Every structure is written in C-alpha cells, then in structure tokens.
C-alpha cells in the first residue's frame, strides 16, 4: 500500500509536486483568488531571487565540501553596489525612456555580478584555499571574513538605510480584473528562470558541467581521470559568488530600501533552501527556494507572526522525511 | 628481464598518524598483467593510492618510465597515461554510462573503433549506454569502471580487486577481458582471489604488513604449494 502510494507519487512528479500542494492548501486557506494570485506571484519571485543566492552555495559545498559562511557577504555587496549604480544613473532610472530604464538596471546587475565574480576569486584564493578539508576552520575563517565584509560595507555606505530607486518601467502593477501583479516581481521571476535554464544547460550539456557533476559525486576520481579539480572549483566559486551578488542586486531592487542586515536576513533563508533542496544539486535549490518563497508569502499573509518560523518548521518536517533533502546530488 | 614501466623504491606511506607502508619496493615489467597479492589490511590499496598520488609517500621514490612521479599531483600522473580503477570502482552514479566514459575520453570525444572493441568485451555497456550508472548491477559497474580505464590507450592500469563480490561466471568473463586488455597495456592488479590472479598474472608480488615479502613469477608461485601456504592467507585459498 505504502509502496504503490509512493510509486504513484513519483510518477506524478514526486517532490516537484510539493510547491503545487502548498499552493493548493494556501488557496483553500486564503479563500480570495485575487489575493492568492498576488501572494503566489510574490512567492515565486522571492523564490527565484533566493535561488540565485542559494544555488552557488549548494554547488560550492557539493563540489568541495567547503562550508562558506561568508556567502552572504556577496549578497550584501551585490545589493549595495546595485543601489549605488542605480543612484548614479538616476536620470536613466527615472526617465521616460524604457530602454534607458532597463539599461540602468542591467548596468546595476552587471556591476554587482562582476564584482561578485572577482571578489569570489580573491575570497577563494586567500581565505578558502588554505582551509580545504577542514570544516571547523572553514566556519571560523569564513565567518570572520563575513564580519570584515560587513564592516567594509558599513564604512563605505554608512549605517543608515539606503533607498534603491526602481526603474520607471518596472514600477507599478499589471491589473487583470481584480488581480494586481507587481511588474518587478514578474521581472525577477523571469530573470531567475533564465539563470536556472542557463545553469541547467551549462551543467548538463557542457564538458565543464559534466566535470562539476562528476566532482560533486567523487572529487578524487575526477582527479584520477586527469582533471585539476582545484581549478574547476575556483570557477564554480566565482560563479556561485557572482550569482549571490546578482541575487542581492535583484533583492535590493525588490525591497527599495536596504540596510546592512540584508545579507544576514537572506542567509537564514538561503541555508534553509540549501538544506531542504539537498546539497550539490541546482534542481534541489530551485525546488527549495520556491517552497521557501511561497511559504514566506502565504504565511506572512495568513499568520504574520509565523513567517520565519514557518520556514524553519518546513525545513524540519522535510528533514524528518528526507534526511538528505528533497533532491540531493547522488554521492558515490 | 624486460624493462620496468613502474618502479617503487622503499616507499613509506603514512595515513593520518599510522605508518602503513614500511618500505615497499616493486618492479612492474612493461606489458602483461602483474599481480600484487596480500591479505586484508596488508597495504595493497594503500600502495595503489600512493602510486596514483592520492596518498603521499613520505619517503622513497616512485618512478614511471624514468620519470620520478613521487610528488606529482594526481591529475598529472593520470595524464602521463596511468588509469586507476579503485576498490569501490569510483563510478559516478548520477551520470550515464556514456558520461562516465566520456570523462575519460581525450577532449570528450570517443574513438569509435576503441568503443566498438569495448562493447565487444562488455556488451552491457552498449545496452545501458544511456542509463544512469547507479542503476547498474555490481558486476556491470565493475565493467564500466574497467571500460572507462581503457577508453583511451593507457600505459599502465592500476586495478584494485575487480573480482570482489562477483559471480564465478562474471569472473570468467573478466579473465578473458583482461587478457585482451593486457595485449596493449600493462596492468598492475591487486587481488585476493588467487584463482583469478593465477589465471592472469605473469609476475607476482606478495605484500604483508606494508612490506613486499615475496617477488617472482606467477608460474613459480602457482607450482609451489608450500610457498602459497607461507604467503597467502586463508581468505585467498577459500576461493
Ligand atoms: N583512511 C585510513 N585511516 C587509517 N588507517 C587506514 C586507512 N586506510 C587504510 N588504513 C590502514 O592501512 C592498512 C592497509 O590498508 P589497505 O587498505 O591498503 O589494505 P588492503 O591490503 O587494501 O586490504 P583489503 O584487502 O582489505 O582491501 C590497514 O591496516 C588499514 O587499517
Ligand atoms: Mg584494499
């Protein structure tokens, strides 16, 4: 009985059904379809932004067993750099030309992402490389680096909240009947989706992707086949840091007011996503991020005080059911 | 005697604080199958891993065709033409059979003729070409591990206990396959299955407690039961 039940479950999409189930339950509890649509879109958008931040962390851990507690520094830097670029391009941001609007946002995201890649390279070489294979030191040194990074942000941008101007074309909502959807959310969702598709393609259709997937399973064997896994890891670390910064930039635009706490706030959710999704798999990160995004928005509406706790509970429930997460990379 | 393709000279290896290899000296002649025998925990796996650079020799030298590879990183050793089939086979379970083998193919491109020869040796590889490797049986995984090692022509293949857990019929098929493979390369085979080792091996070295305690031809060891009793543990004779 249990067997046939779980076989049926797998046939209809397995764990991929969870967000759908969550959305259905929320639909029943919320009652008003228009509110439900708004919250669902908000949840998907938030999920995609968290996915950007989480996927890199998951691959970094999966490939090298490196616990980077400093990952959120890239999120914060991405957010603040994007805010500064948008402020600098103020005329483009608020002007009537949609092309300039988008160009300003793209410049902000590109600056954040490029910074993330370069800083990721330096971070890996200087901070992470000396502590490969030593989890305790990894935790200590990456946390130390995070504190330093937060201090640098405080020095450069000050402690006061910083407004993030939103490009004129992306402000406002699309209204269909009594449903209203914020345009920025659609944009965030689509951008995240594009990144996911690109990552999926890179991992499954390129030789580097093949090496990464193999390395996540068995690093030593990849080396025994003649590949320098340390070089591969630098590339993955840079990509992961760049994505975190991109996620931070997107999140800054979404929040429209950012503080130095942005990295720490997002990081709790990012860790939950990585643990729920299973380490080393981007499908898992996507699934976890969507679940967390939806949960955060539904619960914030239904039981406002429970928002963060609900995701903690979600994580615990999933770990009881699947101790290695929903879609962990195959090991060995 | 033919020239040695691989020479270990007084190799000492530590694993964590344990001194595991106490001076292993070994010559592997070029061509054919050469066997390293020894009971559980004798240091067979440690020897292969040290050759491959996965453990570091603390003392002594490992020479591959006149080139000292003792301190070389593992990928560089592999690129010199050494393939490694580890005890746990080292299969990437989440990858397909094809992807597992493609990783070992130079530039990711297969040599079709070699591939056909591999399919002839191990038809299961062709049959399960697009299957995920974790779905293969134990024997098929072992065949995949060996197929992957011969996707390109290698100078030396290190194989760690390929018969572990395999049925007799599969072991017989493996013997034929190894004979075929040994025509173009040198195999250093770690075994506990004396029947398998005897069928293939040209020379044999026996390791015990991290030291080589006997070296000679397989024919001499096979003919001399007293010698066998002296060096081979009960676990081997049980086969
Ligand atoms: N990771 C490790 N940590 C500590 N000791 C180890 C480790 N790996 C191996 N050893 C020790 O080194 C010795 C040699 O081990 P090795 O794996 O080389 O033996 P083996 O000859 O391959 O045995 P088997 O036939 O069981 O595979 C053993 O005493 C073992 O306990
Ligand atoms: Mg062994």
């Amino acid at each position: 009985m249990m067997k046939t039940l779980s076989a049926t479950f797998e046939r209809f999409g397995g764990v991929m059904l969870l967000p759908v189930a969550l959305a259905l339950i929320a639909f029943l509890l919320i009652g008003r379809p228009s509110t439900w649509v708004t919250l669902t879109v908000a949840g998907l958008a938030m999920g995609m932004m968290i996915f950007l931040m989480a996927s890199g962390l998951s691959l970094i851990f999966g490939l090298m067993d490196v616990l980077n507690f400093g990952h959120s520094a890239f999120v914060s830097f991405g957010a603040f750099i994007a805010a500064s670029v948008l402020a600098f391009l103020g005329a483009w941001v608020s002007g009537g030309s949609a092309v300039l609007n988008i160009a300003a946002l793209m410049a902000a995201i590109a600056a954040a992402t490029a910074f993330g890649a370069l800083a990721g390279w330096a971070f890996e070489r200087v901070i992470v490389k000396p502590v490969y294979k030593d989890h305790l030191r990894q935790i200590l040194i990456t946390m130390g680096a995070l504190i330093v990074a937060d201090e640098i942000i405080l020095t450069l941008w000050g402690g006061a909240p910083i407004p993030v101007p939103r490009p004129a074309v992306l402000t406002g909502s699309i209204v269909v009947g009594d449903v209203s959807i914020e345009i920025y959310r659609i944009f965030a969702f689509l951008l995240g989706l594009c990144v996911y598709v690109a990552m999926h393609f890179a991992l499954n259709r390129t030789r580097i992707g093949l090496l990464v997937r193999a390395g996540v399973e068995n690093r030593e064997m990849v080396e025994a086949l003649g590949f320098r896994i340390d070089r591969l890891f630098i590339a993955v670390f840079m990509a992961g840091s760049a994505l975190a910064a991109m996620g931070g930039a997107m999140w800054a635009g979404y929040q429209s007011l950012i503080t130095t706490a942005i990295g720490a706030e997002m990081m709790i959710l990012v860790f939950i996503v990585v643990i729920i999704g299973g380490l080393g798999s981007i499908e898992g990160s996507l699934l976890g991020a969507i679940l967390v995004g939806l949960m955060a928005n539904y619960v914030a509406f239904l039981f406002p005080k429970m928002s963060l706790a609900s995701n903690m509970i979600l994580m615990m429930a999933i770990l009881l059911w699947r101790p290695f997460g929903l879609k962990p990379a195959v090991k060995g | 005697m033919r020239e040695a393709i691989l020479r270990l000279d007084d190799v000492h290896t530590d694993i964590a604080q344990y001194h595991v290899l106490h001076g292993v000296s070994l010559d592997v002649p070029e061509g054919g199958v050469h066997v390293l025998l020894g009971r559980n925990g004798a240091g067979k796996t440690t020897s292969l891993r040290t050759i491959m650079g996965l453990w570091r020799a603390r003392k002594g030298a490992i020479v591959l065709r006149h080139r000292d590879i003792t301190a070389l990183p593992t990928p560089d050793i592999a690129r010199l033409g050494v393939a490694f089939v580890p005890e746990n086979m080292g299969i990437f379970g989440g990858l397909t059979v094809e992807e597992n083998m493609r990783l070992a193919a130079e530039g990711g491109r297969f040599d079709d003729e070699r591939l056909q020869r591999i399919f002839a040796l191990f038809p299961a590889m062709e049959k399960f070409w697009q299957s995920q490797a974790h779905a293969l049986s134990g024997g098929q995984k072992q065949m995949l591990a060996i197929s992957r090692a011969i996707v390109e022509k290698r100078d030396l293949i290190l194989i760690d206990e390929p018969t572990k857990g395999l049925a007799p019929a599969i072991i017989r098929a493996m013997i034929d396959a190894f004979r075929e493979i040994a025509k173009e390369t040198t195999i250093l085979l770690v075994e506990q299955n004396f029947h398998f080792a005897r069928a293939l091996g040209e020379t044999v070295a026996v390791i015990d407690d991290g030291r080589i305690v006997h070296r000679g031809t397989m024919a001499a060891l096979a003919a001399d039961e007293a010698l066998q009793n002296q060096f081979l543990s009960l676990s081997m004779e049980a086969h």
Side-chain angles (χ1 to χ4, degrees), chain B residues 15 18 20 39-46 55 87 161 192:
Chain B
I15 302 178
Y18 304 104
V20 177
R39 63 167 139 238
N40 289 115
K44 306 182 295 293
T45 298
T46 307
W55 297 131
E87 203 166 9
E161 291 198 52
Q192 291 201 55

Side-chain angles (χ1 to χ4, degrees), chain A residues 107-121:
Chain A
I109 293 173
T113 309
F115 174 86
L118 286 177
W121 175 77

